[in-house]
Amino acid sequence: MSATSNRYQVSIEADPTVPIIRMTRDFDATPAQLLRAHTDPDLFARWVGPDSLTTRIVHWDARTGGSWHFISSRDGEEFGFRGTFHEIRSDRIVQTFTFEGQPDGVALETLTFEDLGDGRTRLHAQSLVDSFEDRDAWLRSGMETGVNEGYAKLDKVLSDGAVR
Amino acid sequence: MSATSNRYQVSIEADPTVPIIRMTRDFDATPAQLLRAHTDPDLFARWVGPDSLTTRIVHWDARTGGSWHFISSRDGEEFGFRGTFHEIRSDRIVQTFTFEGQPDGVALETLTFEDLGDGRTRLHAQSLVDSFEDRDAWLRSGMETGVNEGYAKLDKVLSDGAVR
C-alpha cells in the first residue's frame, strides 16, 4: 500500500516561529477507536512506522504517568524509541519521545482527536523540540514516508474491524 | 531568608528565538547531591517553591519512565503539580511538568548538573513550552520569587548535611 492510495492525505507543516512539526490526518474511525489504536500495544505495533520496519513492544503502560518502549527492525538492524505518557484522556495523548540513536534528543508530542461526526476523526499531532536545527533534521529524515505508510496501515487496521 | 542573602544568584533568561526559559544557579554541593535533592521526595518537599507554600508529595516514582505529583498549599489553598520523569541519569533529569490549575499546559524540563569541581555544581534548568505567550505568562507569574526562595532553602538543606 503506498501513500498515494490513501483516501486521506497527511499534512505535515513546520511552524514558522516555534520548533514544532504539526501533522493532520483524517480517519474513518471514531475518536475512541483512534485512541485505542494509539494505546493498545498490539494494535499500535501493527501500524506504526514505514512498511519496511517490523515493530515489537518492549514495555507499554498506556496510562497517565506510564511509559513505553518499542523497537523497530529491518534485516537485523534495530531502531529503539521510548518515552512517557504524560497524559492520556479521551480526546488527547501527551507523551515524550526519544529515538535511542540520539539519546539526548527529546520531543514533547501532543495528539488530539477531533470528532468530525459520521464516524470520522481528524488527528492533530504536534511534536515540539528545543531547537529549529533538530526540528528541521527530523523533517529531512524521511519521516513523511514513515508517517504516510504508517497511517495507511492504520486505515487498514481500522477497516479490517480490528479496533472495536 | 530572602533571595539577597543567597551566596549564589539565580539567572533567569528568556530565549529570544524559542519558547524556553533557562535558569542557571550554582550550589555548594556535588552533582550527586543535587541529583538526590531533586529525586528524593522528602528532600525535594523541604525546598521546592516559595517560603509561603508547604509541599506534600502525593506520588513519587523517581526513575526513567516514572511519574510524580505534589501539592503545595498556603492557608488551605492548594496548587497541584504533576508530570513524568522521561529520563533520570547522573548528570541530567528530563521531566514533564503541568500546573493542575492549567491542565492543558505542559512544559518539558531539562535539568543538567555541571560539575565545577571543589564540591560545587552549576544547575542548568531549561523549560520548553509550545508558545511564547505561555512562556511569557510564566515569566510574569512571579516565578522568580519561588525559584529564589526555593534555591535558598535548598542551600540550607545542603549546608545542614541532610543530603549525603
Side-chain angles (χ1 to χ4, degrees), chain A residues 89-133:
Chain A
R89 62 190 202 202
S90 61
D91 63 342
R92 186 167 110 135
I93 298 173
V94 180
Q95 58 190 26
T96 60
F97 174 97
T98 285
F99 166 47
E100 292 183 308
Q102 298 172 337
D104 282 359
V106 188
L108 182 64
E109 299 187 333
T110 303
L111 312 180
T112 309
F113 308 113
E114 181 192 356
D115 193 346
L116 300 178
D118 298 323
R120 289 184 311 126
T121 299
R122 182 161 295 160
L123 169 67
H124 302 269
Q126 167 178 303
S127 185
L128 168 68
V129 293
D130 68 358
S131 78
F132 289 97
E133 292 78 5

Side-chain angles (χ1 to χ4, degrees), chain A residues 54-156:
Chain A
T54 302
T55 292
R56 74 172 193 273
I57 305 294
V58 179
H59 170 77
W60 195 267
D61 183 13
R63 59 180 176 82
T64 294
S67 59
W68 58 271
H69 182 200
F70 67 80
I71 294 177
S72 298
S73 56
R74 174 204 295 134
D75 301 332
E77 194 177 11
E78 296 199 328
F79 307 90
F81 303 88
R82 64 174 189 78
T84 58
F85 292 109
H86 175 77
E87 183 182 34
I88 297 179
R89 62 190 202 202
S90 61
D91 63 342
R92 186 167 110 135
I93 298 173
V94 180
Q95 58 190 26
T96 60
F97 174 97
T98 285
F99 166 47
E100 292 183 308
Q102 298 172 337
D104 282 359
V106 188
L108 182 64
E109 299 187 333
T110 303
L111 312 180
T112 309
F113 308 113
E114 181 192 356
D115 193 346
L116 300 178
D118 298 323
R120 289 184 311 126
T121 299
R122 182 161 295 160
L123 169 67
H124 302 269
Q126 167 178 303
S127 185
L128 168 68
V129 293
D130 68 358
S131 78
F132 289 97
E133 292 78 5
D134 285 2
R135 192 271 306 270
D136 295 341
W138 273 111
L139 287 170
R140 287 192 307 268
S141 71
M143 62 173 282
E144 192 162 354
T145 301
V147 167
N148 267 306
E149 293 183 355
Y151 287 157
K153 283 184 283 182
L154 177 50
D155 280 340
K156 187 144 195 324

Side-chain angles (χ1 to χ4, degrees), chain A residues 17-20 64-65 67 82-87 89 92 94 96 98 103-104 106 108 126 128-130 132, chain B residues 17-20 64-65 67 82-87 89 92 94 96-98 103-104 106 108 126 128-130 132:
Chain A
T17 62
V18 178
I20 285 177
T64 294
S67 59
R82 64 174 189 78
T84 58
F85 292 109
H86 175 77
E87 183 182 34
R89 62 190 202 202
R92 186 167 110 135
V94 180
T96 60
T98 285
D104 282 359
V106 188
L108 182 64
Q126 167 178 303
L128 168 68
V129 293
D130 68 358
F132 289 97
Chain B
T17 61
V18 178
I20 285 178
T64 295
S67 61
R82 64 174 187 79
T84 57
F85 292 109
H86 174 77
E87 183 182 33
R89 62 189 201 203
R92 185 167 113 135
V94 180
T96 60
F97 174 98
T98 285
D104 282 358
V106 188
L108 182 64
Q126 167 179 304
L128 168 68
V129 294
D130 70 357
F132 288 98

